[in-house]
Amino acid sequence: MTESAEETGSAMRPVVRETYGPEDLGGQPVFGGGFINFGYWRAVDLARPLGEADRVRSQEDLYRHVLDTAAPRPGAHVLEVGCGLGMGCVVMLREYGCAATGMDIHPQQLSRARAAHAELLRTEPERLRFVQGAAERMPCEDGAFDAVVSVEAAQHFPDLGAFAAQTARVLRPGGRAAVAGFFTVDDAPDRPRHLARLLETFDSGLDIARPVRALTDAFADAGLTDVRAASIGRYVWPGWDRWLARWWAPDTWPRNFLRAYQEGILDYYVVTADRAR
């Protein structure tokens, strides 16, 4: 599991290379605690001023929600696709008793993850590791994992069909995939154009506009079963917008995530699928 993304046949898109490399998205104040996600704000009181602790909790809680959905048992081997700085892997290890493998396409992200968790990597080498690889061609053995999770990375994957096929391949019989991310609510042809007008990340190509059905169909086509998509937008978008208000005024592009949700264009989902026993 030491191959680079280029060696496995999936080159990194330039906009992804820049955003998670020199720009270091995870180092920006809008993210906190080493996580890079919009957060799951169900347990946070949005009526009062938000602080850094609320922000970190929202991001941890998104991982907890995904992991509760994936339901790995203590001792399970879990792969995170698009692990970023590896904070979610630490949640898996410390709170769920899992062995976590964090995979990311970006070498700079992996370097940051290894530096941030150097002590855990030294003391828990059998329970935590980081590898470079692409979602479309994972450098992992067949049936190596009890669960595959991905948190807010699928919007960057060029080929959801290849991601789904690889997920099915590396899951053990009886294993489960759980993917959290934002998708269009349907496949209306004007959705990508509309989102590009509202949101800079879609205009730049960093985020790819696709319906959630693109992922559920891909999982089904890959032979996975009991494929489901559950909307959690009501616990994501209002809290994310409240947090963004610390830096951006209404009608600036980052605030348009909530607008896209309210207009019925974009939503946030957790998609699950099982590998039959």
Side-chain angles (χ1 to χ4, degrees):
M1 296 177 68
T2 60
E3 299 169 283
S4 71
E6 286 76 10
E7 288 170 333
T8 58
S10 297
M12 196 187 324
R13 295 186 296 125
V15 67
V16 172
R17 184 181 297 277
E18 179 67 20
T19 301
Y20 293 97
E23 291 185 11
D24 188 12
L25 185 65
Q28 297 185 11
V30 70
F31 299 104
F35 294 89
I36 311 174
N37 67 62
F38 292 171
Y40 184 77
W41 300 82
R42 186 173 187 175
V44 178
D45 181 2
L46 300 181
R48 59 172 177 76
L50 299 177
E52 186 76 9
D54 299 309
R55 178 66 181 122
V56 172
R57 177 174 183 176
S58 77
Q59 296 182 98
E60 291 174 337
D61 280 355
L62 183 57
Y63 270 95
R64 293 180 182 118
H65 183 73
V66 171
L67 289 164
D68 288 346
T69 304
R73 295 180 178 178
H77 287 75
V78 182
L79 173 68
E80 182 180 4
V81 182
C83 68
L85 304 182
M87 297 304 298
C89 291
V90 175
V91 172
M92 297 177 209
L93 189 153
R94 289 179 170 165
E95 297 186 20
Y96 290 79
C98 298
T101 296
M103 187 188 80
D104 204 281
I105 196 172
H106 206 304
Q108 285 180 264
Q109 289 288 77
L110 291 171
S111 293
R112 293 169 185 140
R114 291 182 178 119
H117 309 298
E119 182 64 15
L120 271 177
L121 289 168
R122 184 184 69 81
T123 59
E124 302 269 14
E126 300 303 316
R127 298 185 62 214
L128 178 65
R129 58 181 173 174
F130 297 107
V131 298
Q132 187 178 4
E136 298 81 10
R137 194 170 178 184
M138 302 175 189
C140 309
E141 299 294 329
D142 293 358
F145 297 100
D146 300 292
V148 174
V149 301
S150 185
V151 175
E152 218 164 290
Q155 73 274 8
H156 303 321
F157 300 163
D159 188 341
L160 291 179
F163 164 60
Q166 287 291 291
T167 298
R169 180 182 67 79
V170 303
L171 273 174
R172 291 173 181 161
R176 172 170 291 179
V179 177
F182 46 97
F183 299 86
T184 60
V185 299
D186 57 33
D187 57 0
D190 64 335
R191 297 304 192 205
R193 185 170 59 254
H194 196 167
L195 284 173
R197 289 198 300 267
L198 287 174
L199 293 160
E200 186 177 293
T201 53
F202 286 96
D203 186 48
S204 71
L206 176 64
D207 297 331
I208 303 171
R210 290 170 296 205
V212 66
R213 183 175 175 179
L215 182 56
T216 57
D217 285 353
F219 276 151
D221 290 345
L224 297 178
T225 63
D226 199 21
V227 182
R228 303 181 183 185
S231 166
I232 61 168
R234 65 190 182 278
Y235 301 124
V236 174
W237 303 118
W240 173 239
D241 188 71
R242 283 273 289 108
W243 181 248
L244 289 176
R246 293 176 55 149
W247 293 276
W248 286 282
D251 299 321
T252 53
W253 81 260
R255 304 288 298 277
N256 282 340
F257 279 100
L258 180 60
R259 176 180 169 184
Y261 170 62
Q262 292 172 333
E263 292 182 1
I265 300 167
L266 193 72
D267 203 354
Y268 205 106
Y269 298 89
V270 175
V271 177
T272 55
D274 298 336
R275 182 176 173 186
R277 294 185 181 277

Tab-separated table of all heavy atoms in Angstrom, residues 58-90:
chain	number	residue	atom	x	y	z
A	58	SER	N	-18.975	20.297	15.773
A	58	SER	CA	-19.787	20.004	14.590
A	58	SER	C	-19.057	19.081	13.630
A	58	SER	O	-19.666	18.190	13.024
A	58	SER	CB	-20.175	21.307	13.879
A	58	SER	OG	-19.099	21.845	13.121
A	59	GLN	N	-17.763	19.273	13.507
A	59	GLN	CA	-16.989	18.448	12.578
A	59	GLN	C	-16.769	17.039	13.126
A	59	GLN	O	-16.856	16.054	12.391
A	59	GLN	CB	-15.659	19.138	12.280
A	59	GLN	CG	-15.862	20.475	11.563
A	59	GLN	CD	-14.550	21.146	11.222
A	59	GLN	OE1	-14.043	21.057	10.114
A	59	GLN	NE2	-13.988	21.819	12.208
A	60	GLU	N	-16.494	16.966	14.415
A	60	GLU	CA	-16.393	15.649	15.049
A	60	GLU	C	-17.726	14.908	14.952
A	60	GLU	O	-17.761	13.691	14.678
A	60	GLU	CB	-15.990	15.796	16.512
A	60	GLU	CG	-14.579	16.276	16.733
A	60	GLU	CD	-14.276	16.534	18.192
A	60	GLU	OE1	-15.230	16.766	18.970
A	60	GLU	OE2	-13.090	16.509	18.563
A	61	ASP	N	-18.820	15.632	15.182
A	61	ASP	CA	-20.140	15.007	15.156
A	61	ASP	C	-20.515	14.504	13.763
A	61	ASP	O	-21.272	13.531	13.638
A	61	ASP	CB	-21.205	15.970	15.663
A	61	ASP	CG	-21.249	16.056	17.181
A	61	ASP	OD1	-20.507	15.295	17.845
A	61	ASP	OD2	-22.012	16.885	17.714
A	62	LEU	N	-20.011	15.149	12.720
A	62	LEU	CA	-20.260	14.628	11.378
A	62	LEU	C	-19.602	13.259	11.232
A	62	LEU	O	-20.212	12.313	10.710
A	62	LEU	CB	-19.742	15.594	10.313
A	62	LEU	CG	-20.010	15.177	8.872
A	62	LEU	CD1	-21.496	14.955	8.598
A	62	LEU	CD2	-19.446	16.215	7.897
A	63	TYR	N	-18.381	13.132	11.711
A	63	TYR	CA	-17.736	11.817	11.685
A	63	TYR	C	-18.489	10.814	12.549
A	63	TYR	O	-18.674	9.656	12.162
A	63	TYR	CB	-16.281	11.931	12.154
A	63	TYR	CG	-15.333	12.203	11.023
A	63	TYR	CD1	-14.948	13.496	10.708
A	63	TYR	CD2	-14.833	11.163	10.236
A	63	TYR	CE1	-14.086	13.755	9.655
A	63	TYR	CE2	-13.969	11.402	9.192
A	63	TYR	CZ	-13.599	12.700	8.901
A	63	TYR	OH	-12.755	12.942	7.841
A	64	ARG	N	-18.924	11.244	13.716
A	64	ARG	CA	-19.662	10.313	14.582
A	64	ARG	C	-20.949	9.841	13.909
A	64	ARG	O	-21.309	8.662	14.006
A	64	ARG	CB	-19.970	10.992	15.919
A	64	ARG	CG	-18.720	11.284	16.749
A	64	ARG	CD	-19.057	11.956	18.065
A	64	ARG	NE	-17.843	12.268	18.823
A	64	ARG	CZ	-17.452	13.496	19.170
A	64	ARG	NH1	-18.212	14.549	18.839
A	64	ARG	NH2	-16.340	13.683	19.843
A	65	HIS	N	-21.632	10.755	13.230
A	65	HIS	CA	-22.865	10.366	12.550
A	65	HIS	C	-22.570	9.347	11.452
A	65	HIS	O	-23.291	8.346	11.298
A	65	HIS	CB	-23.555	11.593	11.970
A	65	HIS	CG	-24.859	11.298	11.317
A	65	HIS	ND1	-25.999	10.983	12.034
A	65	HIS	CD2	-25.216	11.238	10.004
A	65	HIS	CE1	-26.996	10.744	11.197
A	65	HIS	NE2	-26.551	10.897	9.965
A	66	VAL	N	-21.525	9.592	10.681
A	66	VAL	CA	-21.164	8.659	9.607
A	66	VAL	C	-20.733	7.318	10.179
A	66	VAL	O	-21.133	6.249	9.693
A	66	VAL	CB	-20.057	9.269	8.728
A	66	VAL	CG1	-19.502	8.238	7.749
A	66	VAL	CG2	-20.582	10.483	7.970
A	67	LEU	N	-19.940	7.344	11.227
A	67	LEU	CA	-19.473	6.097	11.829
A	67	LEU	C	-20.608	5.334	12.505
A	67	LEU	O	-20.653	4.100	12.439
A	67	LEU	CB	-18.348	6.380	12.820
A	67	LEU	CG	-17.033	6.804	12.160
A	67	LEU	CD1	-16.102	7.433	13.174
A	67	LEU	CD2	-16.365	5.612	11.485
A	68	ASP	N	-21.537	6.040	13.138
A	68	ASP	CA	-22.701	5.364	13.701
A	68	ASP	C	-23.508	4.687	12.593
A	68	ASP	O	-24.082	3.607	12.800
A	68	ASP	CB	-23.584	6.362	14.448
A	68	ASP	CG	-22.968	6.830	15.764
A	68	ASP	OD1	-22.002	6.203	16.230
A	68	ASP	OD2	-23.451	7.849	16.299
A	69	THR	N	-23.550	5.316	11.419
A	69	THR	CA	-24.266	4.731	10.284
A	69	THR	C	-23.527	3.525	9.734
A	69	THR	O	-24.135	2.515	9.376
A	69	THR	CB	-24.454	5.792	9.183
A	69	THR	OG1	-25.139	6.924	9.737
A	69	THR	CG2	-25.259	5.242	8.022
A	70	ALA	N	-22.207	3.637	9.655
A	70	ALA	CA	-21.406	2.502	9.167
A	70	ALA	C	-21.384	1.361	10.167
A	70	ALA	O	-21.246	0.196	9.786
A	70	ALA	CB	-19.980	2.961	8.872
A	71	ALA	N	-21.503	1.672	11.451
A	71	ALA	CA	-21.607	0.704	12.552
A	71	ALA	C	-20.460	-0.293	12.604
A	71	ALA	O	-20.685	-1.501	12.721
A	71	ALA	CB	-22.947	-0.045	12.465
A	72	PRO	N	-19.204	0.179	12.565
A	72	PRO	CA	-18.103	-0.779	12.726
A	72	PRO	C	-17.998	-1.244	14.178
A	72	PRO	O	-18.183	-0.461	15.113
A	72	PRO	CB	-16.871	0.045	12.332
A	72	PRO	CG	-17.247	1.448	12.697
A	72	PRO	CD	-18.716	1.561	12.426
A	73	ARG	N	-17.692	-2.513	14.356
A	73	ARG	CA	-17.506	-3.037	15.702
A	73	ARG	C	-16.098	-2.708	16.193
A	73	ARG	O	-15.199	-2.467	15.393
A	73	ARG	CB	-17.710	-4.554	15.701
A	73	ARG	CG	-19.126	-4.977	15.352
A	73	ARG	CD	-19.247	-6.486	15.369
A	73	ARG	NE	-20.614	-6.919	15.074
A	73	ARG	CZ	-20.984	-8.187	14.993
A	73	ARG	NH1	-20.098	-9.160	15.183
A	73	ARG	NH2	-22.247	-8.496	14.723
A	74	PRO	N	-15.888	-2.687	17.506
A	74	PRO	CA	-14.519	-2.512	18.003
A	74	PRO	C	-13.586	-3.550	17.389
A	74	PRO	O	-13.930	-4.728	17.278
A	74	PRO	CB	-14.672	-2.720	19.517
A	74	PRO	CG	-16.086	-2.319	19.795
A	74	PRO	CD	-16.879	-2.764	18.597
A	75	GLY	N	-12.435	-3.093	16.961
A	75	GLY	CA	-11.478	-3.975	16.303
A	75	GLY	C	-11.634	-4.039	14.804
A	75	GLY	O	-10.791	-4.639	14.120
A	76	ALA	N	-12.701	-3.456	14.278
A	76	ALA	CA	-12.917	-3.466	12.824
A	76	ALA	C	-11.844	-2.649	12.120
A	76	ALA	O	-11.282	-1.700	12.674
A	76	ALA	CB	-14.294	-2.904	12.497
A	77	HIS	N	-11.573	-3.024	10.880
A	77	HIS	CA	-10.644	-2.281	10.038
A	77	HIS	C	-11.451	-1.368	9.119
A	77	HIS	O	-12.296	-1.839	8.361
A	77	HIS	CB	-9.786	-3.243	9.216
A	77	HIS	CG	-8.746	-3.947	10.029
A	77	HIS	ND1	-9.058	-4.979	10.888
A	77	HIS	CD2	-7.401	-3.754	10.130
A	77	HIS	CE1	-7.944	-5.412	11.477
A	77	HIS	NE2	-6.930	-4.672	11.047
A	78	VAL	N	-11.194	-0.068	9.228
A	78	VAL	CA	-11.957	0.941	8.499
A	78	VAL	C	-11.023	1.721	7.580
A	78	VAL	O	-9.949	2.164	8.003
A	78	VAL	CB	-12.670	1.906	9.464
A	78	VAL	CG1	-13.495	2.929	8.688
A	78	VAL	CG2	-13.561	1.141	10.434
A	79	LEU	N	-11.454	1.903	6.353
A	79	LEU	CA	-10.739	2.741	5.392
A	79	LEU	C	-11.486	4.046	5.242
A	79	LEU	O	-12.693	4.058	4.980
A	79	LEU	CB	-10.656	2.046	4.030
A	79	LEU	CG	-10.086	2.891	2.873
A	79	LEU	CD1	-8.607	3.181	3.094
A	79	LEU	CD2	-10.311	2.193	1.535
A	80	GLU	N	-10.765	5.176	5.395
A	80	GLU	CA	-11.348	6.468	5.063
A	80	GLU	C	-10.768	6.948	3.742
A	80	GLU	O	-9.547	7.117	3.614
A	80	GLU	CB	-11.100	7.523	6.138
A	80	GLU	CG	-11.770	8.829	5.744
A	80	GLU	CD	-11.596	9.971	6.716
A	80	GLU	OE1	-10.861	9.813	7.723
A	80	GLU	OE2	-12.200	11.041	6.474
A	81	VAL	N	-11.635	7.193	2.782
A	81	VAL	CA	-11.225	7.664	1.459
A	81	VAL	C	-11.302	9.185	1.448
A	81	VAL	O	-12.371	9.757	1.639
A	81	VAL	CB	-12.132	7.075	0.364
A	81	VAL	CG1	-11.659	7.531	-1.019
A	81	VAL	CG2	-12.139	5.545	0.444
A	82	GLY	N	-10.158	9.825	1.228
A	82	GLY	CA	-10.087	11.277	1.322
A	82	GLY	C	-9.949	11.703	2.768
A	82	GLY	O	-10.742	12.496	3.276
A	83	CYS	N	-8.914	11.212	3.447
A	83	CYS	CA	-8.803	11.389	4.900
A	83	CYS	C	-8.305	12.766	5.302
A	83	CYS	O	-8.377	13.122	6.482
A	83	CYS	CB	-7.886	10.321	5.488
A	83	CYS	SG	-6.150	10.480	4.996
A	84	GLY	N	-7.780	13.553	4.365
A	84	GLY	CA	-7.292	14.874	4.720
A	84	GLY	C	-6.209	14.825	5.775
A	84	GLY	O	-5.214	14.121	5.629
A	85	LEU	N	-6.415	15.542	6.871
A	85	LEU	CA	-5.419	15.628	7.935
A	85	LEU	C	-5.533	14.500	8.954
A	85	LEU	O	-4.831	14.501	9.963
A	85	LEU	CB	-5.529	16.985	8.636
A	85	LEU	CG	-5.411	18.199	7.707
A	85	LEU	CD1	-5.482	19.492	8.507
A	85	LEU	CD2	-4.130	18.151	6.893
A	86	GLY	N	-6.430	13.563	8.715
A	86	GLY	CA	-6.486	12.354	9.521
A	86	GLY	C	-7.225	12.459	10.837
A	86	GLY	O	-7.210	11.510	11.635
A	87	MET	N	-7.924	13.578	11.080
A	87	MET	CA	-8.605	13.728	12.362
A	87	MET	C	-9.754	12.733	12.521
A	87	MET	O	-10.030	12.251	13.622
A	87	MET	CB	-9.124	15.155	12.505
A	87	MET	CG	-8.029	16.213	12.518
A	87	MET	SD	-6.785	15.957	13.802
A	87	MET	CE	-7.786	16.092	15.279
A	88	GLY	N	-10.439	12.427	11.417
A	88	GLY	CA	-11.510	11.445	11.488
A	88	GLY	C	-10.992	10.064	11.836
A	88	GLY	O	-11.658	9.297	12.557
A	89	CYS	N	-9.807	9.728	11.341
A	89	CYS	CA	-9.207	8.435	11.672
A	89	CYS	C	-8.942	8.328	13.168
A	89	CYS	O	-9.106	7.255	13.764
A	89	CYS	CB	-7.897	8.253	10.900
A	89	CYS	SG	-8.104	8.044	9.119
A	90	VAL	N	-8.558	9.438	13.780
A	90	VAL	CA	-8.314	9.435	15.219
A	90	VAL	C	-9.615	9.239	15.988
A	90	VAL	O	-9.654	8.538	17.009
A	90	VAL	CB	-7.593	10.731	15.647
A	90	VAL	CG1	-7.438	10.790	17.158
A	90	VAL	CG2	-6.224	10.815	14.975
